[in-house]
Amino acid sequence: MLVPLSWLKEYVDIDVEAKELEEKLFSCGFEVEESYEVGKDISGVVVGLVEECEPIPETHLHVCKVNVGGAEPLQICCGADNVHAGGKYPVALEGAQVYATAKDHVTIEGTMKIKKGKLRGYESCGMLCSGTELGLNEDLYPGAGYNGLLVLPDDAEIGADVKPLLQLDDWIFDIAITANRPDCESIFGIAREVAAILNKPVKTPALDYTESGVTKDGFTVTVDAPDLCPRYIAHYVTDVKIGESPAWMKRRLALVGIGSISNVVDITNYILKELGQPMHAFDSSYIEGNAIHVRRAHDKEKIMTLDEKEFELNENNLVICDGVKPVALAGIMGGLNSEIRDTTEAVIFESAKFARDNIRKSSRALGQSSDSSQRYAKGVDEYATVMASKRALHLIEELGCGKVSSTHVEVSTGNSIEPAEMKASIKKVNGVLGIEVPTADIERILKSLNFQPVINGDELTIQVPAYREDMESYPDIAEEVIRMYGYDHVTPTFLAAAAVTSGGMNTKQKTELKIKRALCAQGAFEGVHYSFFSPSDLNLLGLPEDAPERKAIRLINPINEDLSLMRTTLAPQMIHAIARNQKNGCLEGRVYEIGNKFIPKDLPLTEYPDERETICIGIWGKEESFFTLKGLVDTVAETLFIDFEYVEDKKTFLHPYRTAKILYNGEEIGYLGQLTYEIQKEEDMRESAYIAEIDLKALRPVYGKVPTFAPISRFAKETRDLALVMSKSVTCGEVEKAIAEASSFVESVELFDVYEGLQVGPEKKSMAFTVTFAPKEEEFTTEAVDGYVKKILKNLNNKLGVELRS
């Protein structure tokens, strides 16, 4: 939230520098994300008096003698049409810094330094400035919008720095407001805190006004949804004169990013920022039926908002209606049929409290956001609702843009806006903090925060203002005390029931870290995605309607349709990640993600879903293949000191002949394979991509498993390369398993070549393996190893019909 220092000073006598105030705000729980001087990029600009002004023949330029308070006047060439002798203007001296401007005098990005130069042969020692060159517009300073020099007041001191004169020495604080303090989502809300920090009184904005004898006879307000609108205030204002707002109001609005529209509209925007209460002004002539009616929208009812967008509503949306039609989308935006126009002669001011969750859901569902909806979504208190109504009527009178009638209608559920009494034990307050805060300091702090404390022994009684809806019990009091007393007073201590433990990671965390490190060592990077996906992602995978992955949990209030389902597989997001990388020019890579998929036991949910921890691996590039992916999957197995089996499989989104299911102890725990060409084309992939998914939850029983120690043999290992011919239907996993089963001396089996062609015949393929034999009690002989090889070949032939390639 943007907070100008000059606006804060309207309510608090601030006698510290901006940086010191920033530190004090941070120390009491308000982080200033950024602070900057309004004219931070402007330097070396002073007030100058043009004493002489002569035209340069055959040009639009003038050569001027400008008094800037020095010993001699400066000669400056100027092309502005409003320069004349006797005028006072900003002068950028040699070495000064101002904003660069385009030819049409609109400020563009960047600044420029002023140097001495020549124009049409005349020496120019500086520059006379326009408002845009100083970063100003018409709202920030009257006359700054003119396409010429900025005219300064006649009483401006010659040679004085223009920044204080133009209020460019003001500061803006961008303050992050925590969710539990919506009362500080306003300039006055922050001012209350600043007053407490500096131990100064806070000045309440003027709320007085005088009612005329005019009434709006028969005018009524009804609220049919008090659960969504606990308080609604409407006040009738007559003799409205639409015009410009005063300079001070336009400047304050400009400093917080709001452009001036007209006096009546500006008042509502001003109060939104000053008090944090959204308001709306209806043109009374467009209110039919002499009534305001707050209700839920009818199904498929339509409204056109001020930005000329039409929305189809339902009963979850709240609308403000007149006696005939909707005139506003409650808490979000007014209707186009009731906007303030130049011809407006009477208005009805609205100030209301709407349920924050309803406004948030409606705004998100309709895709319509505004300053008002953002403010309502964080929470508005009824104290501010009443205060804002009075403030608006005061400003109407102060600006002379209307007369306040005596027609005031207020509908509420009876909630009090008076302070509520709360009692607490000082011992309990200190118990939360773990230190003893002196009673005098507790009383002083709570008094500065307008809690009107009374202390009687250990009993503390406070009066909680209606705008402090976050105050519920003694821990909240403790928080208020310590943030003002200072967190540096807190000394680290153990909780009463605390115990010293060895700490560190548990078995699950250690195992996951080992897997991550092993994959990173293989060149893979970790990715993190949302736990949600889109229904279209399931269509991308080509899953049938009865596929278990389609049995996904739908969110009641998703951010958007693309994040509306709890994921039942990690594959879609990995596919999108591979596609994004390739579109960004990264044509090779390896990525893995460890995350949960959510498998419901029944829909609609009657109990928590099964959250299954899963690892998904994606690879792509010219050097990658089904077998390099299998190597990464084997890395996971090796890290856990187990072995996987691979069996041919079919997946709708994977290549029909390059897909396998992953088995452990005969149980299917995942799959791996190449993405189909159709998916690669749909996702605009330039390189082939491969994906694997493994259910880590099924492997939990082996987490923490340690390898069995086997002493290194004193005898040398032996290796044999076997080129085998087999049917194309035989898988690599089947061959490896048959080789390992044939001899207990087989230590490892590694595939190093695959061939298909005329030399092995149709429907055949050749796979070459390196088989490593490890001796146990005695040294291998050539005859013994040859015997092991014969057993392997026999087992392969009997089980799989595999023969040695000749």
Side-chain angles (χ1 to χ4, degrees):
M1 185 184 72
L2 299 180
V3 179
L5 180 60
S6 59
W7 201 343
L8 277 179
K9 288 182 176 179
E10 181 76 13
Y11 317 113
V12 186
D13 181 16
I14 298 174
D15 54 4
V16 297
E17 295 297 320
K19 285 298 179 183
E20 184 179 348
L21 180 59
E22 177 182 341
E23 292 171 4
K24 288 181 178 294
L25 283 166
F26 182 81
S27 68
C28 70
F30 294 93
E31 180 184 0
V32 179
E33 296 181 325
E34 183 184 9
S35 64
Y36 55 90
E37 191 179 18
V38 174
K40 58 182 171 44
D41 297 323
I42 304 300
S43 63
V45 182
V46 300
V47 176
L49 170 65
V50 176
E51 295 180 334
E52 298 178 19
C53 181
E54 298 295 334
I56 298 176
E58 299 181 358
T59 73
H60 71 289
L61 299 175
H62 293 79
V63 60
C64 306
K65 297 293 184 180
V66 186
N67 181 359
V68 293
E72 297 290 336
L74 299 178
Q75 178 170 295
I76 299 176
C77 294
C78 177
D81 62 1
N82 64 335
V83 64
H84 63 86
K88 288 185 177 180
Y89 313 101
V91 179
L93 305 175
E94 185 179 350
Q97 179 171 283
V98 297
Y99 289 105
T101 58
K103 290 182 179 179
D104 60 358
H105 229 251
V106 176
T107 302
I108 62 174
E109 186 177 355
T111 58
M112 61 181 181
K113 284 194 176 294
I114 303 304
K115 299 177 182 179
K116 184 184 292 187
K118 280 190 176 182
L119 289 174
R120 299 298 176 97
Y122 291 85
E123 188 176 68
S124 185
C125 303
M127 184 178 77
L128 292 163
C129 299
S130 67
T132 53
E133 285 158 340
L134 300 179
L136 298 171
N137 58 31
E138 193 66 30
D139 286 346
L140 286 170
Y141 192 85
Y146 180 71
N147 190 12
L149 299 182
L150 179 63
V151 179
L152 299 179
D154 292 338
D155 60 354
E157 181 184 349
I158 297 172
D161 189 345
V162 300
K163 289 175 74 169
L165 176 65
L166 303 176
Q167 298 183 67
L168 291 172
D169 58 346
D170 198 358
W171 282 77
I172 304 290
F173 300 115
D174 189 353
I175 303 176
I177 309 298
T178 54
N180 68 321
R181 293 302 305 274
D183 60 294
C184 290
E185 287 277 353
S186 65
I187 308 297
F188 184 61
I190 291 295
R192 286 190 295 237
E193 296 296 317
V194 170
I197 294 168
L198 301 179
N199 199 24
K200 303 269 189 178
V202 64
K203 305 167 190 173
T204 302
L207 306 176
D208 59 300
Y209 59 89
T210 303
E211 293 183 352
S212 69
V214 178
T215 62
K216 187 172 177 61
D217 296 333
F219 177 70
T220 60
V221 174
T222 56
V223 178
D224 286 351
D227 56 324
L228 303 183
C229 178
R231 188 179 294 268
Y232 190 95
I233 301 173
H235 202 112
Y236 183 55
V237 175
T238 62
D239 198 18
V240 170
K241 297 178 179 63
I242 302 297
E244 284 193 23
S245 297
W248 62 266
M249 179 175 283
K250 290 198 289 187
R251 181 178 186 277
R252 288 180 180 175
L253 289 174
L255 289 175
V256 294
I258 298 179
S260 176
I261 298 173
S262 68
N263 46 18
V264 173
V265 176
D266 288 353
I267 285 174
T268 61
N269 288 332
Y270 186 84
I271 290 172
L272 172 65
K273 295 299 181 180
E274 182 186 43
L275 302 180
Q277 171 67 49
M279 292 192 68
H280 189 67
F282 297 105
D283 186 327
S284 180
S285 64
Y286 289 89
I287 301 298
E288 299 181 71
N290 203 25
I292 291 290
H293 186 195
V294 184
R295 60 169 173 80
R296 294 176 184 271
H298 301 315
D299 192 36
K300 296 186 178 181
E301 188 171 24
K302 294 183 178 181
I303 187 173
M304 181 82 72
T305 51
L306 287 170
D307 54 359
E308 299 185 5
K309 293 180 182 178
E310 186 176 67
F311 296 96
E312 186 173 280
L313 309 177
N314 57 51
E315 62 180 9
N316 295 321
N317 309 129
L318 190 68
V319 290
I320 312 299
C321 305
D322 58 17
V324 177
K325 62 189 183 300
V327 292
L329 196 50
I332 299 176
M333 190 172 290
L336 188 63
N337 54 14
S338 64
E339 68 174 333
I340 302 300
R341 298 170 172 81
D342 292 342
T343 57
T344 298
E345 296 179 348
V347 301
I348 296 173
F349 272 112
E350 166 196 279
S351 182
K353 175 181 171 66
F354 300 118
R356 69 180 75 181
D357 57 337
N358 177 261
I359 302 302
R360 183 175 62 251
K361 291 175 182 177
S362 291
S363 176
R364 185 177 295 172
L366 296 172
Q368 180 75 339
S369 181
S370 65
D371 288 342
S372 293
S373 67
Q374 292 171 20
R375 181 67 190 88
Y376 272 121
K378 295 174 183 176
V380 169
D381 59 85
E382 295 183 51
Y383 180 88
T385 301
V386 175
M387 185 178 184
S389 177
K390 296 177 181 178
R391 179 63 170 159
L393 300 176
H394 170 86
L395 290 173
I396 282 286
E397 198 168 67
E398 181 181 332
L399 272 55
C401 54
K403 293 181 180 179
V404 180
S405 83
S406 56
T407 298
H408 176 97
V409 183
E410 184 169 345
V411 179
S412 75
T413 55
N415 296 329
S416 175
I417 60 171
E418 296 301 318
E421 185 175 275
M422 179 191 294
K423 293 182 181 293
S425 163
I426 291 180
K427 183 178 180 180
K428 284 187 175 182
V429 170
N430 285 328
V432 171
L433 303 177
I435 59 174
E436 292 290 328
V437 180
T439 301
D441 285 318
I442 293 176
E443 185 175 15
R444 172 184 57 80
I445 290 168
L446 295 177
K447 185 176 181 181
S448 70
L449 291 168
N450 196 28
F451 286 113
Q452 304 170 41
V454 175
I455 297 177
N456 185 10
D458 183 57
E459 184 181 73
L460 169 65
T461 304
I462 63 171
Q463 304 298 319
V464 180
Y467 55 80
R468 289 302 304 270
E469 294 181 343
D470 59 305
M471 298 294 295
E472 295 179 353
S473 60
Y474 69 90
D476 299 312
I477 298 176
E479 181 182 357
E480 294 301 296
V481 169
I482 195 60
R483 71 185 183 89
M484 291 295 179
Y485 187 58
Y487 291 101
D488 54 325
H489 287 92
V490 177
T491 55
T493 58
F494 280 113
L495 294 172
V500 178
T501 65
S502 59
M505 294 185 289
N506 58 32
T507 301
K508 175 179 175 294
Q509 292 168 329
K510 289 178 181 177
T511 304
E512 287 178 4
L513 185 59
K514 284 176 62 179
I515 293 172
K516 289 179 179 181
R517 287 175 173 170
L519 290 173
C520 288
Q522 297 295 324
F525 291 87
E526 183 175 8
V528 179
H529 302 110
Y530 286 120
S531 295
F532 320 107
F533 62 14
S534 169
S536 62
D537 289 333
L538 297 172
N539 297 331
L540 173 69
L541 299 182
L543 298 172
E545 290 300 321
D546 59 349
E549 290 87 353
R550 287 192 179 274
K551 190 180 178 183
I553 302 166
R554 175 170 286 277
L555 301 184
I556 294 175
N557 188 28
I559 296 174
N560 55 52
E561 187 64 14
D562 289 341
L563 299 171
S564 61
L565 301 178
M566 300 294 288
R567 62 183 178 183
T568 53
T569 171
L570 276 60
Q573 287 154 318
M574 184 60 71
I575 293 171
H576 295 324
I578 293 172
R580 280 195 303 272
N581 274 277
Q582 294 198 31
K583 288 172 185 175
N584 290 331
C586 181
L587 300 181
E588 59 180 27
R590 296 179 171 186
V591 175
Y592 71 89
E593 178 186 10
I594 294 179
N596 287 351
K597 57 185 181 182
F598 303 85
I599 311 301
K601 298 172 184 176
D602 198 9
L603 286 177
L605 288 176
T606 56
E607 56 182 314
Y608 288 117
D610 182 12
E611 296 187 30
R612 300 202 67 83
E613 196 169 53
T614 304
I615 184 169
C616 188
I617 304 172
I619 64 173
W620 67 97
K622 285 186 171 63
E623 301 301 318
E624 303 294 2
S625 68
F626 175 89
F627 299 104
T628 58
L629 177 61
K630 178 179 175 292
L632 291 175
V633 174
D634 283 337
T635 296
V636 176
E638 291 165 7
T639 303
L640 300 174
F641 304 109
I642 58 176
D643 294 309
F644 290 153
E645 295 178 49
Y646 302 93
V647 178
E648 186 178 5
D649 196 15
K650 300 289 184 184
K651 293 280 184 185
T652 55
F653 55 95
L654 298 179
H655 192 291
Y657 304 116
R658 296 172 192 169
T659 303
K661 66 176 66 173
I662 304 170
L663 305 178
Y664 173 65
N665 283 345
E667 179 186 351
E668 183 177 350
I669 60 166
Y671 63 85
L672 73 156
Q674 180 181 351
L675 292 176
T676 62
Y677 297 126
E678 290 77 14
I679 288 180
Q680 293 181 48
K681 182 179 180 181
E682 186 172 342
E683 292 289 305
D684 294 326
M685 295 185 190
R686 293 162 57 184
E687 299 293 341
S688 295
Y690 305 81
I691 192 170
E693 200 169 1
I694 305 169
D695 185 352
L696 291 181
K697 190 171 183 180
L699 299 176
R700 280 280 187 89
V702 300
Y703 279 16
K705 181 180 179 181
V706 294
T708 303
F709 173 74
I712 299 175
S713 176
R714 294 178 293 124
F715 310 109
K717 298 178 181 180
E718 292 286 339
T719 61
R720 295 287 188 274
D721 289 343
L722 303 178
L724 307 171
V725 178
M726 66 204 75
S727 170
K728 285 184 178 180
S729 62
V730 177
T731 67
C732 176
E734 290 173 327
V735 175
E736 290 178 346
K737 183 178 180 181
I739 292 173
E741 288 176 344
S743 172
S744 62
F745 292 98
V746 173
E747 182 183 66
S748 65
V749 182
E750 294 184 12
L751 175 73
F752 67 85
D753 183 56
V754 178
Y755 170 76
E756 294 180 14
L758 294 176
Q759 295 183 26
V760 296
E763 301 304 318
K764 295 282 187 179
K765 65 181 176 182
S766 170
M767 301 179 76
F769 297 87
T770 295
V771 182
T772 301
F773 299 94
K776 297 179 180 177
E777 301 297 333
E778 58 185 21
E779 186 175 7
F780 282 142
T781 63
T782 302
E783 293 77 12
V785 175
D786 289 343
Y788 303 149
V789 171
K790 288 179 181 179
K791 286 183 179 180
I792 289 171
L793 294 174
K794 183 178 180 181
N795 195 47
L796 286 170
N797 186 263
N798 291 339
K799 288 190 173 183
L800 304 172
V802 174
E803 295 179 351
L804 188 67
R805 183 176 174 184
S806 58

